[in-house]
C-alpha cells in the first residue's frame, strides 16, 4: 500500500469510509467487522466515521462503536488513524440536521472519545457548516479541542475555499484535512482540491465512486472509465480511485464499503498506473 500524509501522520493512500456499515441498508455486524479487518489486511490505515453515522435515534455513534470494536479485535488496529466528525445529527426519521454550536461540538467530541475508547481522537472534523452559527465560532471550538489535547489533528468537511482559508487561520495553520464530496459525477469541489494542493492540506474525497456504477451502460457519460478498466482488466471503481490519486499527492479517497471484497478492490487502486492519455480521457468525462 502506497502512503500519503495527513498532517504529520503517514496513512495508506486509500482510506475506508464507514458510513454504509451503520445507516439504512446496513449489513449485519459480522460482515461489517470482516470489512474493517479486510481493509486493515490490505494495508489501509485511515478509517473515516462520524457520530451521525447511525440509523435510529437511540443509537448515536453506532459506527464509531463498531469501528472501535473492529480495531480492538485486529492485531493492526492500533496502527489506524481514526477520523471522526461532529456537527451533523440524525433525528432518526431519515433526515439530517445541523448543530455547529461550540457547546454541541465539545459535547459531541467527549461522547466520541468515550465510544472510540481513546484519550485523544486522531483526526476530528467539523462535519458541515451550520447557517445558524458563525463559521468562526464552530471552528474555534475545534481549535479549543486541539489546544486541550482532546484531538490530535483538526479537519473540516463540506467546506468552500473561503472557509478552508478561514479555518486554517483560526487553527493557526494547523488545518490538516478537508473532506468534500468529489467523484466522476460530482466535480464542483475541484477548486477546493486545488487549494488543498497549494496549501499542502490533505483532501479526502467522500463518495468518490459516485457515477461509476453507471459506467458500463450504453451511452453513459462515464463509459470511458469502463473502457479504461477493460483495457487494464480491473474494475471501473479501481480506475476511478487511481484517476483520483493521480490528481494530487494530497488526495486520500475514502470509499465507503460494507463488503470485504469491495474494500480489497479499492485498496488495489494504489498499484494501478494510468497513462497520461488515459488520465486526460477521464478528466474530460
Amino acid at each position: 500500500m502506497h502512503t500519503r500524509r495527513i498532517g504529520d501522520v503517514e496513512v495508506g493512500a486509500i482510506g475506508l469510509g464507514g458510513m454504509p456499515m451503520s445507516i439504512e441498508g446496513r449489513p449485519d455486524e459480522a460482515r461489517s467487522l470482516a470489512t474493517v479487518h479486510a481493509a486493515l489486511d490490505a494495508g489501509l490505515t485511515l478509517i473515516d466515521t462520524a457520530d451521525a453515522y447511525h440509523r435510529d435515534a437511540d443509537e448515536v455513534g453506532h459506527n464509531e462503536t463498531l469501528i472501535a470494536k473492529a480495531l480492538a479485535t485486529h492485531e493492526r488496529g492500533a496502527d489506524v488513524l481514526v477520523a471522526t466528525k461532529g456537527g451533523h445529527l440524525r433525528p432518526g426519521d431519515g433526515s439530517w440536521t445541523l448543530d455547529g454550536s461550540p457547546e454541541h461540538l465539545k459535547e459531541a467530541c467527549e461522547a466520541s472519545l468515550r465510544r472510540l475508547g481513546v484519550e485523544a481522537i486522531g483526526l476530528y472534523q467539523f462535519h458541515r457548516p451550520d447557517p445558524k452559527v458563525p463559521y468562526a465560532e464552530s471552528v474555534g471550538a475545534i481549535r479549543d479541542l486541539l489546544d486541550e489535547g482532546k484531538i490530535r489533528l483538526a479537519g473540516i468537511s463540506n467546506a468552500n475555499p473561503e472557509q478552508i482559508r478561514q479555518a486554517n487561520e483560526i487553527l493557526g495553520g494547523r488545518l490538516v484535512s478537508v473532506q468534500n464530496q468529489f467523484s466522476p459525477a460530482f466535480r464542483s469541489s475541484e477548486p477546493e482540491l486545488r487549494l488543498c494542493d497549494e496549501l499542502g492540506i490533505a483532501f479526502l474525497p467522500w463518495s468518490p465512486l459516485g457515477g461509476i456504477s453507471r459506467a458500463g451502460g450504453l451511452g453513459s457519460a462515464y463509459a470511458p472509465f469502463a473502457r479504461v478498466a477493460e483495457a487494464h482488466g480491473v474494475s471501473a471503481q479501481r480506475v476511478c480511485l487511481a484517476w483520483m490519486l493521480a490528481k494530487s499527492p494530497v488526495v486520500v479517497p475514502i470509499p465507503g464499503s460494507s463488503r470485504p471484497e469491495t474494500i480489497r478492490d479499492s485498496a488495489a487502486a494504489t498499484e494501478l498506473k494510468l497513462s497520461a492519455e488515459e488520465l486526460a480521457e477521464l478528466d474530460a468525462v
Side-chain angles (χ1 to χ4, degrees), residues 109-165:
C109 179
E110 293 288 352
S112 292
L113 280 165
R114 291 191 295 271
R115 285 189 290 265
L116 292 170
V118 295
E119 294 183 1
I121 292 171
L123 171 59
Y124 196 68
Q125 305 154 100
F126 178 36
H127 204 153
R128 187 179 287 274
D130 181 351
K132 303 184 301 298
V133 180
Y135 196 66
E137 291 186 13
S138 299
V139 177
I142 305 298
R143 177 200 58 214
D144 293 346
L145 292 168
L146 189 59
D147 290 342
E148 294 165 9
K150 299 291 181 67
I151 66 177
R152 300 191 190 282
L153 299 170
I156 55 176
S157 184
N158 301 298
N160 62 35
E162 180 183 353
Q163 290 166 335
I164 293 171
R165 293 187 185 278

Side-chain angles (χ1 to χ4, degrees), residues 16 32-42 69-74 76 263:
L16 169 64
S32 292
L33 294 175
T35 300
V36 177
H37 290 173
L40 272 60
D41 290 340
K69 182 175 182 177
L71 296 182
T73 52
H74 193 281
R76 295 187 55 238
I263 197 58

